[in-house]
């Protein structure tokens, strides 16, 4: 930066993540397990990261969403999410918006649309923002407005669609798009999107 004549940003990466190397290692291993649907392993690793650093916001966030889908409404998940929300101010702006948007979507908060729009506006290349905004628009009955955001999420995460990960945000966006076309009584379009995904990810 000095050679380029530019000033570096203030603060430290550690200020918005963690100063504990052990916590970050547990977190990284937890992410790998999470994206391979190894729920129990991910859960333990994120808990271990928080044991090393109780202020690690993104570890708290993933600890919340690593609960199985059937546990979405559970007291445990909500307790974990409330912890992540309390820590959101300690994360970067982008990650803080992701945490708040995810919680708003989980509890169907009226703020979900505003938060998702803020995430997309501030970070237009963030896949999560377009996925959250697409879902929020669907929930508000704005079906046509949701389509470009779901397509943008698919485009941004295209490399993951045919990958080996059990979970990918682009895949979630394709599922939402198929469901959306079905809701809109456009079954040929829904079938087209489903067949496109089969071609891209035959082993999914």
């Amino acid at each position: 930066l000095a050679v380029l004549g530019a000033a570096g940003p203030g603060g430290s990466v550690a200020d918005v993540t963690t100063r504990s190397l052990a916590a970050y290692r547990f977190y990284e291993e937890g992410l790998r397990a999470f994206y391979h649907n190894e729920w129990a392993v991910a859960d333990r690793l994120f808990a271990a990261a928080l044991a090393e650093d109780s202020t690690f916001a993104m570890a708290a966030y993933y600890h919340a969403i690593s609960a199985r889908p059937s546990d979405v409404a559970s007291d445990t998940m909500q307790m974990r999410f409330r912890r992540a929300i309390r820590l959101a101010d300690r994360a970067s702006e982008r990650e803080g918006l992701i945490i708040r948007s995810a919680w708003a979507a989980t509890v169907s908060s009226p703020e979900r649309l505003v938060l998702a729009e803020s995430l997309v506006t501030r970070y237009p290349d963030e896949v999560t923002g377009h996925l959250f905004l697409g879902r929020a628009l669907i929930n508000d009955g704005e079906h046509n407005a949701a389509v470009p955001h779901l397509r943008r999420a698919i485009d941004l995460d295209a490399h993951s669609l045919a990958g080996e990960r059990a979970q990918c945000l682009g895949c979630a966006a394709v599922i939402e798009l198929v469901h959306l076309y079905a809701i809109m009584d456009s079954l040929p379009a829904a079938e087209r999107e489903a067949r496109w995904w089969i071609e891209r990810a035959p082993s999914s």
Side-chain angles (χ1 to χ4, degrees), residues 59-72:
Y61 167 65
Y62 275 99
H63 193 220
I65 65 173
S66 65
R68 292 299 298 270
S70 58
D71 296 333
V72 166

PDB file of all heavy atoms in Angstrom, residues 59-72:
ATOM      1  N   ALA A  59     -18.670 -17.368  14.467  1.00  0.00           N
ATOM      2  CA  ALA A  59     -18.745 -18.714  15.055  1.00  0.00           C
ATOM      3  C   ALA A  59     -20.102 -18.897  15.727  1.00  0.00           C
ATOM      4  O   ALA A  59     -20.719 -19.968  15.631  1.00  0.00           O
ATOM      5  CB  ALA A  59     -17.607 -18.920  16.053  1.00  0.00           C
ATOM      6  N   ALA A  60     -20.575 -17.844  16.391  1.00  0.00           N
ATOM      7  CA  ALA A  60     -21.895 -17.907  17.029  1.00  0.00           C
ATOM      8  C   ALA A  60     -22.996 -18.039  15.979  1.00  0.00           C
ATOM      9  O   ALA A  60     -23.973 -18.778  16.174  1.00  0.00           O
ATOM     10  CB  ALA A  60     -22.120 -16.662  17.878  1.00  0.00           C
ATOM     11  N   TYR A  61     -22.849 -17.331  14.867  1.00  0.00           N
ATOM     12  CA  TYR A  61     -23.840 -17.406  13.782  1.00  0.00           C
ATOM     13  C   TYR A  61     -23.915 -18.817  13.214  1.00  0.00           C
ATOM     14  O   TYR A  61     -25.005 -19.404  13.095  1.00  0.00           O
ATOM     15  CB  TYR A  61     -23.467 -16.408  12.693  1.00  0.00           C
ATOM     16  CG  TYR A  61     -24.210 -16.587  11.394  1.00  0.00           C
ATOM     17  CD1 TYR A  61     -25.584 -16.389  11.317  1.00  0.00           C
ATOM     18  CD2 TYR A  61     -23.534 -16.962  10.228  1.00  0.00           C
ATOM     19  CE1 TYR A  61     -26.266 -16.556  10.117  1.00  0.00           C
ATOM     20  CE2 TYR A  61     -24.201 -17.122   9.029  1.00  0.00           C
ATOM     21  CZ  TYR A  61     -25.570 -16.917   8.978  1.00  0.00           C
ATOM     22  OH  TYR A  61     -26.238 -17.089   7.803  1.00  0.00           O
ATOM     23  N   TYR A  62     -22.767 -19.393  12.875  1.00  0.00           N
ATOM     24  CA  TYR A  62     -22.781 -20.738  12.306  1.00  0.00           C
ATOM     25  C   TYR A  62     -23.184 -21.787  13.347  1.00  0.00           C
ATOM     26  O   TYR A  62     -23.761 -22.822  12.991  1.00  0.00           O
ATOM     27  CB  TYR A  62     -21.431 -21.075  11.672  1.00  0.00           C
ATOM     28  CG  TYR A  62     -21.324 -20.577  10.260  1.00  0.00           C
ATOM     29  CD1 TYR A  62     -20.654 -19.390   9.966  1.00  0.00           C
ATOM     30  CD2 TYR A  62     -21.917 -21.274   9.205  1.00  0.00           C
ATOM     31  CE1 TYR A  62     -20.570 -18.913   8.653  1.00  0.00           C
ATOM     32  CE2 TYR A  62     -21.838 -20.804   7.902  1.00  0.00           C
ATOM     33  CZ  TYR A  62     -21.171 -19.632   7.634  1.00  0.00           C
ATOM     34  OH  TYR A  62     -21.110 -19.163   6.335  1.00  0.00           O
ATOM     35  N   HIS A  63     -22.898 -21.515  14.602  1.00  0.00           N
ATOM     36  CA  HIS A  63     -23.364 -22.420  15.662  1.00  0.00           C
ATOM     37  C   HIS A  63     -24.888 -22.441  15.685  1.00  0.00           C
ATOM     38  O   HIS A  63     -25.505 -23.483  15.914  1.00  0.00           O
ATOM     39  CB  HIS A  63     -22.819 -21.957  17.015  1.00  0.00           C
ATOM     40  CG  HIS A  63     -22.970 -22.970  18.095  1.00  0.00           C
ATOM     41  ND1 HIS A  63     -23.331 -22.622  19.384  1.00  0.00           N
ATOM     42  CD2 HIS A  63     -22.839 -24.324  18.101  1.00  0.00           C
ATOM     43  CE1 HIS A  63     -23.384 -23.710  20.121  1.00  0.00           C
ATOM     44  NE2 HIS A  63     -23.085 -24.756  19.375  1.00  0.00           N
ATOM     45  N   ALA A  64     -25.500 -21.289  15.388  1.00  0.00           N
ATOM     46  CA  ALA A  64     -26.961 -21.210  15.346  1.00  0.00           C
ATOM     47  C   ALA A  64     -27.521 -21.950  14.139  1.00  0.00           C
ATOM     48  O   ALA A  64     -28.443 -22.753  14.262  1.00  0.00           O
ATOM     49  CB  ALA A  64     -27.411 -19.752  15.318  1.00  0.00           C
ATOM     50  N   ILE A  65     -26.955 -21.717  12.962  1.00  0.00           N
ATOM     51  CA  ILE A  65     -27.543 -22.312  11.761  1.00  0.00           C
ATOM     52  C   ILE A  65     -27.060 -23.734  11.507  1.00  0.00           C
ATOM     53  O   ILE A  65     -27.525 -24.384  10.562  1.00  0.00           O
ATOM     54  CB  ILE A  65     -27.312 -21.444  10.505  1.00  0.00           C
ATOM     55  CG1 ILE A  65     -25.828 -21.345  10.153  1.00  0.00           C
ATOM     56  CG2 ILE A  65     -27.911 -20.056  10.697  1.00  0.00           C
ATOM     57  CD1 ILE A  65     -25.579 -20.632   8.823  1.00  0.00           C
ATOM     58  N   SER A  66     -26.146 -24.233  12.347  1.00  0.00           N
ATOM     59  CA  SER A  66     -25.724 -25.624  12.193  1.00  0.00           C
ATOM     60  C   SER A  66     -26.712 -26.584  12.830  1.00  0.00           C
ATOM     61  O   SER A  66     -26.551 -27.805  12.718  1.00  0.00           O
ATOM     62  CB  SER A  66     -24.323 -25.851  12.782  1.00  0.00           C
ATOM     63  OG  SER A  66     -24.326 -25.662  14.180  1.00  0.00           O
ATOM     64  N   ALA A  67     -27.751 -26.040  13.485  1.00  0.00           N
ATOM     65  CA  ALA A  67     -28.819 -26.898  13.980  1.00  0.00           C
ATOM     66  C   ALA A  67     -29.498 -27.544  12.777  1.00  0.00           C
ATOM     67  O   ALA A  67     -29.588 -26.956  11.707  1.00  0.00           O
ATOM     68  CB  ALA A  67     -29.825 -26.081  14.778  1.00  0.00           C
ATOM     69  N   ARG A  68     -29.965 -28.754  12.928  1.00  0.00           N
ATOM     70  CA  ARG A  68     -30.634 -29.429  11.829  1.00  0.00           C
ATOM     71  C   ARG A  68     -31.860 -28.635  11.403  1.00  0.00           C
ATOM     72  O   ARG A  68     -32.485 -27.949  12.217  1.00  0.00           O
ATOM     73  CB  ARG A  68     -31.069 -30.839  12.250  1.00  0.00           C
ATOM     74  CG  ARG A  68     -29.919 -31.784  12.486  1.00  0.00           C
ATOM     75  CD  ARG A  68     -29.086 -31.983  11.228  1.00  0.00           C
ATOM     76  NE  ARG A  68     -29.869 -32.572  10.153  1.00  0.00           N
ATOM     77  CZ  ARG A  68     -29.984 -33.879   9.942  1.00  0.00           C
ATOM     78  NH1 ARG A  68     -29.363 -34.735  10.729  1.00  0.00           N
ATOM     79  NH2 ARG A  68     -30.705 -34.331   8.927  1.00  0.00           N
ATOM     80  N   PRO A  69     -32.270 -28.714  10.121  1.00  0.00           N
ATOM     81  CA  PRO A  69     -33.441 -27.956   9.655  1.00  0.00           C
ATOM     82  C   PRO A  69     -34.686 -28.177  10.499  1.00  0.00           C
ATOM     83  O   PRO A  69     -35.490 -27.273  10.687  1.00  0.00           O
ATOM     84  CB  PRO A  69     -33.635 -28.490   8.222  1.00  0.00           C
ATOM     85  CG  PRO A  69     -32.268 -28.890   7.801  1.00  0.00           C
ATOM     86  CD  PRO A  69     -31.605 -29.454   9.039  1.00  0.00           C
ATOM     87  N   SER A  70     -34.830 -29.391  11.064  1.00  0.00           N
ATOM     88  CA  SER A  70     -36.007 -29.676  11.876  1.00  0.00           C
ATOM     89  C   SER A  70     -35.986 -28.922  13.196  1.00  0.00           C
ATOM     90  O   SER A  70     -36.994 -28.853  13.902  1.00  0.00           O
ATOM     91  CB  SER A  70     -36.108 -31.180  12.158  1.00  0.00           C
ATOM     92  OG  SER A  70     -34.939 -31.643  12.825  1.00  0.00           O
ATOM     93  N   ASP A  71     -34.820 -28.344  13.537  1.00  0.00           N
ATOM     94  CA  ASP A  71     -34.682 -27.640  14.813  1.00  0.00           C
ATOM     95  C   ASP A  71     -34.793 -26.130  14.666  1.00  0.00           C
ATOM     96  O   ASP A  71     -34.483 -25.383  15.594  1.00  0.00           O
ATOM     97  CB  ASP A  71     -33.313 -27.961  15.447  1.00  0.00           C
ATOM     98  CG  ASP A  71     -33.174 -29.427  15.798  1.00  0.00           C
ATOM     99  OD1 ASP A  71     -34.213 -30.058  16.038  1.00  0.00           O
ATOM    100  OD2 ASP A  71     -32.042 -29.928  15.819  1.00  0.00           O
ATOM    101  N   VAL A  72     -35.244 -25.660  13.482  1.00  0.00           N
ATOM    102  CA  VAL A  72     -35.259 -24.228  13.210  1.00  0.00           C
ATOM    103  C   VAL A  72     -36.028 -23.449  14.269  1.00  0.00           C
ATOM    104  O   VAL A  72     -35.631 -22.365  14.675  1.00  0.00           O
ATOM    105  CB  VAL A  72     -35.847 -23.957  11.800  1.00  0.00           C
ATOM    106  CG1 VAL A  72     -36.199 -22.486  11.636  1.00  0.00           C
ATOM    107  CG2 VAL A  72     -34.846 -24.360  10.734  1.00  0.00           C
TER     108      VAL A  72
END
